[in-house]
Amino acid sequence: MAKIDLNADIGESFGPWVMGNDAALMEVISSANVACGFHAGDPDVMAQTMRRAVANDVGIGAHPGFADLQGFGRRRLSLSAEELTNLVTYQLGAAQAMARAAGGAVRHFKLHGALSNMASENAEIARACYAAALRVQPDIILVVLPQTAMEPVARDLQANWAGEIFADRAYEDDASLVARSKPGAVLHDAEEVGARIETMLRKGAIVTASGKEIPCKIDTVCLHGDGAEALAMARALRGHLTGAGFEIARFG
């Protein structure tokens, strides 16, 4: 039976402001990318999220982003390599401490939002972030957007890495995500998403909006947890994949 990991960005609430249904989503996914307090999350939310991950036997990942609460980390910031290094080191360290206190451990690392998009375009940004993470935790698994600038950097650093595709996002022909500002960038039909991801997994390739196939390593599928239909989409995709003969299990 083929195996595939389902991951979600999680722990993105802040104080009394609730983002997503983390408790229910934890029952669907096999890996959680936990916000580290810069683009979303706070110490209390992180602690609760880590405990839920441990209780549900869900793999824990650090999910660092830009210090941009108001913009949810989706606005591009211009930082030096040293600033990126310190940003990653600080957030990964926080995730490690919170996971350990909850009885778990951080096993993977995934960049968030605009920082991820920039790293997928610019190898120097990817290198600054990935090298910083590896310096803190040499065996950490980097979650990489395959066939972008991230992949050769991860390979060159001889890192453990997992290739990620997005369930609910359309792709350009260069393997980048269609910008959210464009029509059709975010997919909403759960049935369509299930069939689309099954096709990509069987082909071992990203299928772009134009129909182009880009062969790549696929280890995990990202489910966004912050939309109104996110939970229903996640459940539908898991049901589709298990029905198609896939086992949902952590990567690595």
Side-chain angles (χ1 to χ4, degrees), residues 95-197:
Q96 288 178 321
M98 299 302 279
R100 193 175 303 122
V106 171
R107 65 187 301 271
H108 71 273
F109 173 92
K110 175 185 168 180
L111 297 173
H112 168 81
L115 180 55
S116 176
N117 291 338
M118 292 168 70
S120 73
E121 301 161 3
N122 186 316
E124 292 310 308
I125 292 175
R127 184 174 297 276
C129 294
Y130 288 167
L134 293 169
R135 202 170 295 123
V136 174
Q137 187 173 331
D139 64 345
I140 203 165
I141 302 169
L142 306 177
V143 176
V144 167
L145 299 182
Q147 297 296 340
T148 72
M150 292 176 169
E151 182 176 338
V153 171
R155 290 182 182 277
D156 185 56
L157 292 171
Q158 300 182 347
N160 296 321
W161 67 278
E164 176 189 49
I165 59 172
F166 285 79
D168 59 354
R169 294 294 304 278
Y171 282 88
E172 301 282 10
D173 284 351
D174 63 355
S176 66
L177 297 174
V178 174
R180 286 178 178 269
S181 58
K182 294 183 179 180
V186 180
L187 309 178
H188 301 282
D189 186 322
E191 192 171 316
E192 175 190 352
V193 165
R196 172 176 171 268
I197 293 302

Side-chain angles (χ1 to χ4, degrees), residues 9-20 22 33-50 52 61 63-73 90-91 94-95 98 112 226:
D9 303 344
I10 213 159
E12 293 181 323
S13 299
F14 186 80
W17 182 70
V18 177
M19 171 72 84
D22 288 359
N33 319 308
V34 183
C36 301
F38 273 34
H39 77 275
D42 61 38
D44 296 324
V45 171
M46 286 183 75
Q48 183 181 59
T49 304
M50 298 295 187
R52 282 177 174 157
H63 193 40
F66 285 132
D68 178 27
L69 283 174
Q70 187 173 355
F72 199 60
Y90 186 98
Q91 292 182 77
M98 299 302 279
H112 168 81
D226 58 335

Side-chain angles (χ1 to χ4, degrees), residues 208-241:
T208 72
S210 73
K212 178 182 177 180
E213 295 179 10
I214 306 173
C216 66
K217 180 175 183 275
I218 302 174
D219 301 290
T220 184
V221 179
C222 178
L223 303 161
H224 281 106
D226 58 335
E229 69 276 346
L231 180 58
M233 177 83 75
R235 286 173 170 161
L237 179 58
R238 180 174 180 126
H240 182 101
L241 293 179

Side-chain angles (χ1 to χ4, degrees), residues 4-10 25-26 28-34 53 56-61 107-108 110 141 143 219-223 238 248-252:
I4 189 65
D5 176 76
L6 296 181
N7 79 75
D9 303 344
I10 213 159
L25 201 56
M26 283 284 193
V28 179
I29 60 176
S30 45
S31 292
N33 319 308
V34 183
N56 286 278
D57 194 29
V58 168
I60 296 173
R107 65 187 301 271
H108 71 273
K110 175 185 168 180
I141 302 169
V143 176
D219 301 290
T220 184
V221 179
C222 178
L223 303 161
R238 180 174 180 126
I248 308 303
R250 298 182 197 176
F251 55 75

Side-chain angles (χ1 to χ4, degrees), residues 84-100:
L84 290 170
T85 296
N86 294 335
L87 173 147
V88 165
T89 301
Y90 186 98
Q91 292 182 77
L92 176 53
Q96 288 178 321
M98 299 302 279
R100 193 175 303 122

